[in-house]
Amino acid sequence: MTTLLVLGNINQFTFANSILAANAKAEEMFDQALTNIFVVHSRDSYAKLKSNEDWVDYIEANEVSRELFVDKIVEITAEEASIKKFVDYVEFILKGISNSSNLIVDLTNGTSLQKNLLSIASYILDIKNQYLIDVSKLFELTKERGFLPINILLSSYTPVPDSTRLDSIAYLNLSEMIRYRKIIEAHTNKYVAIDPDSSDKEFFKDNLGHSIQLKLQGDQSKDNAIYRIAASSISASVEDLIRLLVSKFILADTPDGVDRRTFGQKLKIIQAKIEKDAPSDFDVEFFSKFNDFILYLRNSSTHKGKLLTDLEKFKAELSVKMAFPFIEFYTDIVHPLLSSGELSKEPKYMKKLSYAEIKPGETLYYGLDGDDTGKILEELFLACSDESSFRKLSKDVANAISRIAKFVTDQLGKNAIVFEAGDDLLFKGNLQEEMLLEMQVMYSQLTPGLTCSIGYGRSFQEVYLALKLAKTQPGKNAIVGIELC
């Protein structure tokens, strides 16, 4: 299969020309014409191309069928919700095609904002084949306008420079360094929040950044010794985080005794505290093994040995990379346990949440998920001999979720949608149960009689459990609320 992802255009000539150019490029690269064409429209481009379909006659005259098209309207703006919806849809397309499929992204059409976002999304999702019609080259080849011949279009259909090549030509892997800066900033803020008075923000942040620069220098120079220096450097920030936790929450009365202890001893102090009072659902075994692994990795990669083998290089590089999930684990999981008294709390119990218990105006989270979509796909794989049934099911489910999402925003406002992808929808607000039942009816009517389950609760954990419980009900198609208490 060969799939094209393309933006809509209010100019039917440019749109049709890009489709034919992409089809010719697919035949040239993959010895196969396009088999799927996903078009992301604005409302204007969809209406314009719908009002005059001369372009359809032209592409079909060149053996590209209109039946290959899957149209989706996504109003792309600079707002976060719009960007998220667009990226979710691109990811939905990628998940729906097999690993052996070929994919082309066309950047000829759309506004500058749309093209920029599609290019960035393609880079993030590692889509290599990005093309566009080079207008300068096109005008050199022909003075004609409108629908153009295939040979002219193919000659001017140019690959977009691979943005990942910036990493190989820019000093210290530019794009990777930018990503790490954002990660370091987030970790630093969490570190400072533990104790603003005793934390050293500049040291923690600058040291992490310096360590990553060293690691990237090692990537370029292939010098194993630099990886060891990077591992030694980053361990200083990790140790400072552990020192801060021990001195604030466990040895607050004897702060001078903290610095005299080794990194391993400080980890054992925290571990003993957690193991003694941990909640019943806390994975103590993982905690212990994770600490042991990080401690071994840190000691074996920072203590100098005589040899700098490839294995030692690998361990030092892994030590740098593992520092970030280790910091995240201690700031996001261990710190809240130590600081909020969660260690002594009784485990939570689950009970059903009825609508009578919900206060007017109280914000809830709702999750909607199609029932047995995977099973229906399996049946189609076994029973169908053509693509039309798969394509129709995909369009029906996507349309149903889109219509229900619009129903939600009409009732609760545009910020109500938290997540929308595939046959899943997560939103927040306060809806009467009758409206949830109406959503189920909409889903069934807009699909070939399929059902969906809905779960709700006051937190993400509660809505997750509620949705899981709803899908275990006989016949599914259930609505379940859950409260943890």
Side-chain angles (χ1 to χ4, degrees):
M1 294 178 65
T2 302
T3 298
L4 172 67
L5 176 58
V6 60
L7 294 165
N9 199 327
I10 59 174
N11 185 320
Q12 65 164 336
F13 303 110
T14 303
F15 183 70
N17 288 336
S18 68
I19 299 294
L20 295 183
N23 189 60
K25 180 59 68 175
E27 291 177 330
E28 179 185 277
M29 291 194 303
F30 310 123
D31 295 323
Q32 182 185 45
L34 297 174
T35 53
N36 294 290
I37 301 173
F38 289 91
V39 187
V40 181
H41 285 287
S42 65
R43 291 189 182 91
D44 288 342
S45 69
Y46 182 77
K48 202 75 174 178
L49 293 174
K50 198 75 174 171
S51 65
N52 185 347
E53 295 196 337
D54 291 346
W55 65 274
V56 176
D57 297 333
Y58 184 68
I59 64 169
E60 291 195 332
N62 286 278
E63 300 182 349
V64 177
S65 172
R66 181 67 173 92
E67 294 180 0
L68 301 180
F69 286 68
V70 177
D71 299 307
K72 175 78 170 179
I73 297 176
V74 181
E75 281 298 325
I76 301 175
T77 67
E79 293 183 3
E80 183 178 348
S82 170
I83 294 172
K84 183 179 184 304
K85 186 175 182 180
F86 174 76
V87 174
D88 286 344
Y89 183 63
V90 174
E91 193 170 11
F92 167 74
I93 293 171
L94 293 182
K95 289 180 178 178
I97 61 178
S98 67
N99 293 332
S100 60
S101 294
N102 303 307
L103 179 62
I104 295 176
V105 170
D106 180 273
L107 296 173
T108 305
N109 304 282
T111 65
S112 297
L113 176 62
Q114 291 169 331
K115 287 190 279 192
N116 183 53
L117 183 55
L118 179 56
S119 179
I120 292 171
S122 299
Y123 167 54
I124 294 171
L125 298 171
D126 198 27
I127 302 173
K128 301 296 185 186
N129 298 314
Q130 300 180 51
Y131 283 83
L132 54 75
I133 294 177
D134 186 331
V135 177
S136 298
K137 186 177 293 186
L138 183 68
F139 290 169
E140 289 176 4
L141 297 172
T142 180
K143 301 298 183 183
E144 296 180 33
R145 300 295 181 266
F147 298 127
L148 300 175
I150 301 292
N151 62 321
I152 297 292
L153 294 172
L154 185 58
S155 298
S156 59
Y157 205 51
T158 307
V160 176
D162 184 358
S163 54
T164 59
R165 292 181 61 191
L166 285 171
D167 288 342
S168 63
I169 61 176
Y171 179 63
L172 291 184
N173 294 352
L174 176 62
S175 60
E176 188 173 359
M177 195 64 225
I178 291 172
R179 292 180 183 182
Y180 267 117
R181 282 178 191 153
K182 294 179 179 179
I183 296 171
I184 290 169
E185 188 71 34
H187 286 321
T188 300
N189 291 337
K190 294 175 183 178
Y191 157 80
V192 172
I194 294 173
D195 189 341
D197 295 327
S198 300
S199 57
D200 189 339
K201 177 179 179 178
E202 296 307 317
F203 165 76
F204 187 84
K205 178 181 178 180
D206 293 345
N207 190 64
L208 287 177
H210 179 63
S211 302
I212 292 302
Q213 286 184 329
L214 287 169
K215 182 261 182 191
L216 297 177
Q217 281 183 356
D219 290 342
Q220 283 196 331
S221 66
K222 308 302 180 185
D223 185 344
N224 293 358
I226 296 181
Y227 287 108
R228 175 174 284 173
I229 298 170
S232 298
S233 176
I234 206 166
S235 66
S237 291
V238 171
E239 289 186 36
D240 194 51
L241 168 64
I242 298 303
R243 173 201 61 77
L244 195 64
L245 289 170
V246 172
S247 61
K248 182 172 179 64
F249 298 110
I250 303 176
L251 298 180
D253 296 333
T254 55
D256 294 339
V258 177
D259 293 334
R260 291 197 295 268
R261 288 174 166 81
T262 65
F263 177 60
Q265 289 171 337
K266 294 170 190 172
L267 286 181
K268 291 299 181 184
I269 290 172
I270 295 176
Q271 187 172 320
K273 175 69 174 174
I274 297 291
E275 288 178 348
K276 178 183 176 184
D277 302 314
S280 60
D281 59 349
F282 185 82
D283 193 338
V284 174
E285 183 179 3
F286 168 80
F287 184 43
S288 175
K289 290 183 176 180
F290 188 48
N291 280 341
D292 289 344
F293 174 67
I294 295 297
L295 180 62
Y296 172 79
L297 199 58
R298 177 258 186 200
N299 289 341
S300 64
S301 57
T302 58
H303 294 165
K304 295 181 180 179
K306 294 181 179 180
L307 298 177
L308 281 171
T309 64
D310 286 341
L311 175 59
E312 293 305 311
K313 171 257 181 183
F314 176 82
K315 288 195 296 181
E317 183 180 12
L318 183 60
S319 182
V320 174
K321 291 179 177 179
M322 287 300 298
F324 289 96
F326 181 80
I327 291 170
E328 183 178 2
F329 179 76
Y330 268 84
T331 56
D332 291 6
I333 296 175
V334 176
H335 172 230
L337 290 175
L338 293 172
S339 64
S340 63
E342 285 288 332
L343 291 174
S344 59
K345 285 188 177 180
E346 292 295 321
K348 292 183 177 181
Y349 296 93
M350 184 172 69
K351 76 178 188 70
K352 285 195 173 183
L353 175 64
S354 68
Y355 257 82
E357 300 173 272
I358 300 172
K359 299 175 183 177
E362 184 177 9
T363 298
L364 299 177
Y365 288 99
Y366 300 84
L368 182 150
D369 186 19
D371 295 328
D372 295 326
T373 306
K375 183 179 178 181
I376 294 167
L377 278 173
E378 289 179 8
E379 293 173 355
L380 284 177
F381 276 120
L382 296 174
C384 289
S385 58
D386 59 66
E387 300 172 5
S388 60
S389 297
F390 289 93
R391 190 174 292 112
K392 184 177 185 307
L393 177 63
S394 175
K395 289 181 67 175
D396 287 344
V397 171
N399 180 51
I401 292 297
S402 179
R403 292 278 294 277
I404 293 172
K406 185 179 184 305
F407 176 81
V408 170
T409 55
D410 288 344
Q411 300 294 326
L412 301 173
K414 64 179 182 179
N415 294 323
I417 302 298
V418 178
F419 177 82
E420 177 190 347
D423 60 350
D424 295 320
L425 188 66
L426 177 65
F427 57 96
K428 62 182 180 180
N430 193 312
L431 290 177
Q432 295 299 315
E433 191 169 15
E434 293 77 14
M435 292 184 178
L436 301 182
L437 291 168
E438 188 174 344
M439 290 181 196
Q440 290 183 316
V441 172
M442 289 174 61
Y443 190 86
S444 180
Q445 290 176 342
L446 294 169
T447 62
L450 305 183
T451 63
C452 64
S453 296
I454 299 175
Y456 61 87
R458 295 185 178 93
S459 67
F460 288 128
Q461 185 180 13
E462 288 174 344
V463 73
Y464 171 80
L465 294 171
L467 192 54
K468 288 293 184 184
L469 185 60
K471 295 179 78 68
T472 65
Q473 304 301 303
K476 301 188 178 180
N477 199 38
I479 300 174
V480 174
I482 285 297
E483 180 180 18
L484 294 175
C485 53

